[in-house]
Amino acid sequence: MSINILVVEDDEHIADSLIRGLGEEGFVVAHAADGLVAQSALLEGTWDIVLLDWWLPGVDGLTLLRRFRQADGDTPVLLLTARDAVSDRVRGLDVGADDYLCKPFDFDELLARIRALVRRRRGPGTVMAFQDVRIDLAAGRVDRAGRHLDLTPKEHDLLVFFLRHPGQVLSRTRIYENVWDETYAGQSNTLEVHVMDLRRKLEAHGPRLIHTLRGRGYLFGDPPDGSGDSA
């Protein structure tokens, strides 16, 4: 369920900022600091989005993009560059970029463009629903009782997983493996924090749907009988 992003950026400060910010939003992020490393990552890895700097040591971003498209790479690519002339934008888009963002840029705008590229890649509408909760995967929109919910990417992935298994008891291990792509070590409270935040947003417009079953995990749906739901 995670969205994998490859950040191709040689500026250490910009790269660190992107890796930290995207990670906090729930994305899985990998980094390539030069064109040669990026070329291997592009051809060998599986990515949902690529953030590609134009100016890179080794192989420049435009050459990388051209080679990637010639090799039938179809991953959405967001080109990042300080070049803001219309002719440069046209050139980047003609080579195969799906979008273009000029430096310096606002992080919220970057997130909005990433979400738009993810929606475009997911294709025509797939809607999931349970009671009054509705997720349009293509539009990236989540509603409860007709009210829009502003979820982080990881909250979105967590809710999608719950919606795929309504009425089932889901262990912490199973949730971690499917939503975080990692094994639950029994020490982290990451899941609990995300469940608390997701509950708060859902319960702003209706009764509780995510129930804690002590020692067993979580259940999404109607309240379990005699199971001792806790916060």
Side-chain angles (χ1 to χ4, degrees):
M1 298 304 300
S2 298
I3 296 173
N4 297 293
I5 297 180
L6 175 63
V7 174
V8 184
E9 172 62 65
D10 66 315
D11 185 298
E12 184 176 346
H13 175 72
I14 295 176
D16 287 346
S17 178
L18 288 173
I19 293 168
R20 183 177 62 255
L22 293 171
E24 290 174 351
E25 290 294 325
F27 297 105
V28 177
V29 187
H31 175 228
D34 64 61
L36 294 176
V37 173
Q39 184 168 270
S40 297
L42 280 171
L43 296 177
E44 297 172 6
T46 301
W47 313 104
D48 296 297
I49 301 288
V50 176
L51 305 184
L52 179 62
D53 185 31
W54 187 313
W55 294 111
L56 292 168
V59 182
D60 68 87
L62 224 57
T63 300
L64 274 176
L65 179 56
R66 184 182 295 108
R67 292 175 180 175
F68 183 56
R69 294 306 188 211
Q70 289 173 347
D72 295 327
D74 62 354
T75 301
V77 174
L78 175 56
L79 199 59
L80 305 175
T81 177
R83 304 175 66 134
D84 60 357
V86 172
S87 59
D88 290 323
R89 299 184 190 187
V90 171
R91 186 179 172 198
L93 293 170
D94 281 346
V95 168
D98 295 89
D99 202 353
Y100 191 110
L101 192 57
C102 291
K103 300 176 182 179
F105 50 81
D106 183 84
F107 186 70
D108 286 338
E109 181 180 2
L110 174 68
L111 288 177
R113 289 174 183 259
I114 289 173
R115 288 194 292 265
L117 290 174
V118 170
R119 289 196 299 270
R120 192 183 308 169
R121 185 170 177 79
R122 281 173 175 162
T126 300
V127 175
M128 303 179 66
F130 179 85
Q131 295 185 11
D132 58 354
V133 178
R134 182 179 182 276
I135 298 181
D136 187 329
L137 296 175
R141 183 179 177 87
V142 182
D143 298 283
R144 183 169 195 190
R147 303 287 187 86
H148 174 64
L149 304 183
D150 185 16
L151 304 185
T152 67
K154 191 57 67 179
E155 289 168 357
H156 179 280
D157 289 350
L158 183 58
L159 181 57
V160 167
F161 187 65
F162 280 136
L163 281 168
R164 292 189 190 280
H165 306 281
Q168 297 182 27
V169 178
L170 303 172
S171 69
R172 287 169 172 79
T173 298
R174 185 177 177 188
I175 295 172
Y176 263 94
E177 289 177 348
N178 284 272
V179 180
W180 273 267
D181 295 323
E182 61 185 49
T183 302
Y184 177 59
Q187 299 173 338
S188 172
N189 68 341
T190 299
L191 175 57
E192 284 73 16
V193 170
H194 280 80
V195 167
M196 180 179 66
D197 291 341
L198 181 56
R199 271 180 175 155
R200 175 175 52 81
K201 294 177 181 181
L202 287 169
E203 292 172 20
H205 307 295
R208 173 160 296 188
L209 286 172
I210 303 174
H211 306 279
T212 303
L213 306 183
R214 293 187 183 278
R216 300 172 65 193
Y218 295 96
L219 181 146
F220 181 84
D222 295 325
D225 294 332
S227 296
D229 189 34
S230 67

